[in-house]
Amino acid sequence: MDLPGFLMWAEPPAGNRSEWKRQWFGHELSPGSVFNVRGIGLNEPLFNPDVHRPYGTGDWLIMLFQMPPRLDRQRVEPSHGPMTLVIWPPGAEQFYSWGEQPNREPHSWMHVEGTWVATLFETLDLPINQPLPLPDESIMNSGLTLLLEEMRLGMKADPVILQNIFENWARRIRRQLQSRGSDVTIQKGLLRVRRRLDSDYRAIPPLDELAALANLSRSRLCHRFRECFGSSISEYVIRKRMAAAQRMLFEVSLRPGEIAEALGYTDIYQFSKQFKKTFGVSPTAFRKQQHILDS
């Protein structure tokens, strides 16, 4: 695990309510990390309406909305009930907004990254990228509180303790979902397909191969994949590539051409075009922007 080297902000701005907390432990992603806690928020009010990130944040964002949130861009009223949990994976589209009152409706969240996170969620078979009912708020906030306390130890923070806290949190989430007889469990076949795509997103496997892996017809696979993971198979692969590209651009020793090749693009111009379509700037311009922000 990569321990925090700096803080962006630690306490709520002056004048805000004392019962909510937030802390950010760094904004640079760490490709290849096993487990890293990047940021935590507890009962923070939703200040910004219509937060929309088409390709996510490059890490796992886990968020509990204590009040009814709006998670559907096509609706103007709340789309889900209170105590709704969402686990957004790296590269997944994120949209959320307060349901009725800005600056008041609380939400708790954490940004984490690392190869171990995906393995843990797959092992526990937790539903990813879809709203889940979680009526017991203490499960979320107790885990976040323990993570926050350990992370605030700085260089004394113990990576094993942090992983244990996170795993215990995830297992308690799964137990509550199972006890409620949740109907959002993803089929094992679809998880195998996603695992296949995650293992090597440099090329999209033939659809027949993926359908056989899921034990579904081609059309049923496409329908169920979009229903469970919020995108088509090709969109999912592109998101994975672009999330990886975003992380790799922080490594200044890698040239854009090398990144394109590592992600399966035979043509650097095709890679640059897709990156600009995703983030609004070229890979080179993105890297320059990050250098300015870091300096």
Side-chain angles (χ1 to χ4, degrees):
M1 190 192 116
D2 301 315
L3 295 176
F6 63 93
L7 302 180
M8 290 177 64
W9 35 249
E11 298 297 336
N16 281 287
R17 300 181 303 171
S18 60
E19 62 264 27
W20 64 271
K21 302 176 181 179
R22 68 180 185 186
Q23 187 156 350
W24 192 252
F25 300 100
H27 65 279
E28 287 191 7
L29 294 164
S30 301
S33 64
V34 176
F35 178 62
N36 190 16
V37 180
R38 303 187 66 233
I40 291 173
L42 276 161
N43 303 317
E44 180 181 1
L46 274 168
F47 297 116
N48 301 318
D50 297 355
V51 176
H52 183 213
R53 307 181 183 112
Y55 289 86
T57 52
D59 58 9
W60 293 83
L61 172 58
I62 302 164
M63 190 170 287
L64 175 68
F65 300 90
Q66 284 95 331
M67 301 291 288
R70 186 163 67 91
L71 304 177
D72 185 346
R73 295 175 62 198
Q74 309 305 317
R75 297 176 59 169
V76 295
E77 69 277 0
S79 58
H80 294 80
M83 300 305 161
T84 292
L85 177 76
V86 184
I87 302 173
W88 282 291
E93 181 180 16
Q94 300 169 4
F95 175 82
Y96 58 91
S97 179
W98 42 265
E100 297 179 0
Q101 293 182 310
N103 303 331
R104 283 189 171 182
E105 299 178 6
H107 68 307
S108 297
W109 53 268
M110 59 177 147
H111 284 270
V112 297
E113 65 175 340
T115 55
W116 174 75
V117 180
T119 301
L120 175 66
F121 285 162
E122 288 182 5
T123 300
L124 298 180
D125 207 8
L126 277 177
I128 304 300
N129 203 24
Q130 53 187 293
L132 308 168
L134 192 75
D136 187 354
E137 179 183 4
S138 66
I139 291 179
M140 181 72 170
N141 283 358
S142 62
L144 290 178
T145 299
L146 291 172
L147 284 172
L148 184 59
E149 290 174 351
E150 186 67 22
M151 285 297 291
R152 282 181 168 173
L153 295 177
M155 297 304 296
K156 294 182 179 180
D158 189 322
V160 176
I161 291 177
L162 287 166
Q163 283 187 256
N164 286 340
I165 293 172
F166 187 82
E167 181 171 354
N168 288 339
W169 166 84
R171 288 183 177 278
R172 293 181 69 194
I173 293 291
R174 182 187 66 167
R175 182 168 61 188
Q176 187 174 73
L177 293 177
Q178 288 178 336
S179 67
R180 289 178 55 84
S182 175
D183 60 355
V184 295
T185 302
I186 301 173
Q187 293 174 249
K188 296 286 187 180
L190 289 172
L191 291 174
R192 288 196 296 268
V193 169
R194 189 180 66 181
R195 194 176 301 118
R196 170 70 176 84
L197 299 176
D198 289 344
S199 66
D200 185 4
Y201 41 79
R202 293 174 297 177
I204 302 177
L207 191 56
D208 287 335
E209 177 184 327
L210 296 178
L213 192 62
N215 197 26
L216 296 169
S217 68
R218 289 162 52 113
S219 60
R220 183 61 178 167
L221 167 63
C222 293
H223 173 75
R224 288 289 291 139
F225 191 94
R226 180 180 289 277
E227 184 179 56
C228 290
F229 303 122
S231 71
S232 69
I233 291 173
S234 61
E235 290 169 343
Y236 182 84
V237 171
I238 290 173
R239 286 176 176 171
K240 294 290 291 186
R241 288 175 176 174
M242 292 299 102
Q246 187 183 37
R247 295 193 297 270
M248 293 171 76
L249 283 166
F250 282 107
E251 181 56 61
V252 295
S253 64
L254 291 175
R255 297 191 299 271
E258 293 175 316
I259 295 174
E261 184 178 356
L263 295 177
Y265 289 95
T266 57
D267 185 346
I268 187 174
Y269 297 105
Q270 182 185 10
F271 164 68
S272 297
K273 181 179 179 180
Q274 181 61 59
F275 191 93
K276 187 171 184 178
K277 179 180 178 181
T278 301
F279 298 108
V281 295
S282 68
T284 302
F286 177 84
R287 174 173 277 170
K288 288 180 179 179
Q289 287 179 358
Q290 303 313 307
H291 177 72
I292 292 172
L293 289 173
D294 292 341
S295 60

